Amino acid sequence: MSDSNSSPAAPAAIKVDVWSDIACPWCFIGKRKFEAGAAGFDGQVEVEYHSFELSPDTPVDFEGNEAEFLATHKGLSVEQAQGMLDNVGGIARSVGLAYDFDAMHHTNTVKAHQLIHYAKARGAQLDMNERLLAAYFEQGRHLGRTEVLADIAAEAGFDRDDVVRSLEADEYLADVRADQAQAQAFGINGVPFFVFEGKYGVSGAQDPATFRQVLDTVAAEKAGLSSVEVAQ
């Protein structure tokens, strides 16, 4: 028999799995929009990030700026690519981000993803994901280089030497590949991609209201309410 004075158990947190890439400008924008939507949600949300490489064949040291990479990758002129970056930069500013495409080092992100898994194993995945996105898009740091990643990890309180050891040994490469395999199984071919409770998928940097609506819907389902009851 339960204690009559005990409070009812709090609703379980809604699990949200997010596939993203450190080099994806929409992923940082989508992160901010999701956070805004979740902030207005009356419940708990548990977020877990998963690895996705948009351009796994990108070299560690790409010779050229971001506009030149985008032009090559998308088959555009450099002028068209720069226009796209200017547009994305404006959207980033609208959610409080200061993208610096001129300072950006376009690079292979597999080591950065391994560092996120390193942090995840130590309970600090969300913080590391945020640090790496900011380092890439706002601070112009070269995230393809182990020494730079180790510096960022040390700033987050990790043992720098151990991070170097882990990255050089590809300790978490299998975890990165497992995330990518799961994305393929789900049919995910672009990021950011948000999966709510393992069954509702939302693609792209949607408006905060969209994320809030999905959270409300999933919470109602978990509570056994109908859509009519939710609307009242």
Side-chain angles (χ1 to χ4, degrees), residues 16-19 30-31 34 192-196 200-205 211:
V16 183
D17 293 281
V18 186
W19 272 262
K31 183 176 187 293
F34 172 78
F193 197 93
F194 303 78
V195 177
F196 295 76
Y200 292 108
V202 175
S203 177
F211 291 119

Side-chain angles (χ1 to χ4, degrees), residues 19 37 47 57 63 159 166 173 197 215 227:
W19 272 262
V47 179
D57 57 346
E63 297 296 332
D159 183 307
S166 178
L173 181 59
E197 288 291 314
L215 288 168
S227 59

Side-chain angles (χ1 to χ4, degrees), residues 4 21 49 85 96 109 112 119 123 126 140 144 147 157 174 183 188 224:
S4 60
D21 191 1
Y49 281 90
L85 293 178
T109 59
L126 299 185
E147 60 270 23
I188 298 171

Side-chain angles (χ1 to χ4, degrees), residues 13 27 94 109 150 154 179 204 216 224-225:
C27 289
S94 76
T109 59
D179 279 351
D216 285 340
L225 300 176

Side-chain angles (χ1 to χ4, degrees), residues 83-127:
M84 291 177 65
L85 293 178
D86 291 343
N87 179 60
V88 173
I91 296 171
R93 286 192 295 275
S94 76
V95 295
L97 300 174
Y99 283 7
D100 188 348
F101 288 113
D102 291 335
M104 190 177 299
H105 294 279
H106 201 93
T107 187
N108 191 288
T109 59
V110 70
K111 291 291 186 182
H113 284 298
Q114 290 186 56
L115 179 55
I116 293 174
H117 277 282
Y118 178 97
K120 175 183 175 181
R122 292 155 179 81
Q125 182 199 42
L126 299 185
D127 176 64

Side-chain angles (χ1 to χ4, degrees), residues 2 12 54 61 69 77 113 116 119 160 176 186 196 209 221:
S2 62
L54 284 171
D61 292 300
F69 174 84
S77 70
H113 284 298
I116 293 174
R160 190 183 190 284
V176 173
F186 280 159
F196 295 76
E221 283 193 2

Side-chain angles (χ1 to χ4, degrees), residues 1-9:
M1 182 179 294
S2 62
D3 186 341
S4 60
N5 294 322
S6 63
S7 300

